[in-house]
Amino acid sequence: MAFIYAYDDVVPVIDPTAFVHETAVLIGDVIIGPEAYVGPGASLRGDSGRITVLRGANLQDNVVAHTYPGGEVVVGEMAAAGHGAVLHGCRLGQLALVGMNAVVMDDAEIGDFSVVAAMSFVKTGMKVPPRTMVAGVPAKPLREVGEAEIGWIREGALSYDDLRRRALAGELRRAEPLAAPEPDRRTVRAYQVKKLSAMRS
């Protein structure tokens, strides 16, 4: 089980259908909704405001979620925060995607089906309209998110749902390492999602 801490007698909530990795940290007013996925090393620190992760959303490895006093982080249905992203007092809409190592600041809102490019910085209070890609430091609107990209975002969400279901079914387990690879070693079976660059070519 993850590192779960009550704070000021407020205890985190994890829906039984959600998967939270055992190395994730949940503190205080954190609510993990149905079919959500919280990856290794994620830190959701609800010691100054609420963090809500809605149905089917995924917070990947080392995501940090926190807020200013009295603020809130809301991660919308099937939204995703990529590896190392920081969410601080912000809201992500349905099927919104925050790329790897991006930062979304206080009172920012990322609209439904919108994308924050990797390594971008969304400044305090920015409102990203639905179906908009933003990028840069500070982030600026680039263009509309197309149907193919929305399909790709949805497939990414489904791939994390596959990870969630398989982890809960016991396919993810502690193991002792082998001294050498087996002669007939296979790789893991994974939900197949094309790279976005392959979809454009």
Side-chain angles (χ1 to χ4, degrees):
M1 181 52 100
F3 295 97
I4 308 294
Y5 300 92
Y7 185 78
D8 192 27
D9 292 328
V10 179
V11 180
V13 175
I14 302 174
D15 186 277
T17 63
F19 172 75
V20 178
H21 193 273
E22 64 180 7
T23 61
V25 179
L26 277 60
I27 298 172
D29 196 1
V30 176
I31 301 171
I32 307 297
E35 301 169 11
Y37 174 96
V38 179
S43 175
L44 284 65
R45 188 157 60 88
D47 56 8
S48 58
R50 179 167 296 169
I51 298 166
T52 303
V53 180
L54 297 178
R55 180 183 295 274
N58 70 81
L59 302 182
Q60 299 168 20
D61 317 51
N62 300 318
V63 165
V64 173
H66 191 242
T67 185
Y68 55 89
E72 185 174 16
V73 173
V74 177
V75 181
E77 291 195 9
M78 295 181 74
H83 315 300
V86 176
L87 308 176
H88 205 276
C90 60
R91 291 178 173 265
L92 309 185
Q94 178 185 10
L95 275 166
L97 171 62
V98 175
M100 293 181 278
N101 289 310
V103 176
V104 184
M105 288 300 295
D106 302 321
D107 299 320
E109 296 180 8
I110 309 302
D112 296 347
F113 311 108
S114 288
V115 176
V116 176
M119 305 290 288
S120 295
F121 179 83
V122 177
K123 63 185 180 180
T124 297
M126 183 176 187
K127 309 296 188 226
V128 177
R131 297 181 64 132
T132 302
M133 177 176 287
V134 299
V137 181
K140 292 184 168 59
L142 287 184
R143 59 178 174 77
E144 183 176 341
V145 175
E147 289 298 329
E149 291 165 314
I150 290 172
W152 177 78
I153 294 167
R154 192 181 308 276
E155 284 298 305
L158 292 174
S159 75
Y160 273 90
D161 186 61
D162 183 63
L163 285 174
R164 174 194 65 83
R165 288 185 292 102
R166 291 172 63 181
L168 290 175
E171 289 191 45
L172 177 68
R173 59 181 176 80
R174 284 187 172 270
E176 291 298 318
L178 304 174
E182 312 94 309
D184 57 349
R185 184 179 180 87
R186 64 171 179 82
T187 192
V188 297
R189 295 178 294 268
Y191 188 98
Q192 295 300 304
V193 179
K194 289 182 180 177
K195 293 186 293 186
L196 187 57
S197 58
M199 294 177 66
R200 290 181 181 145
S201 57

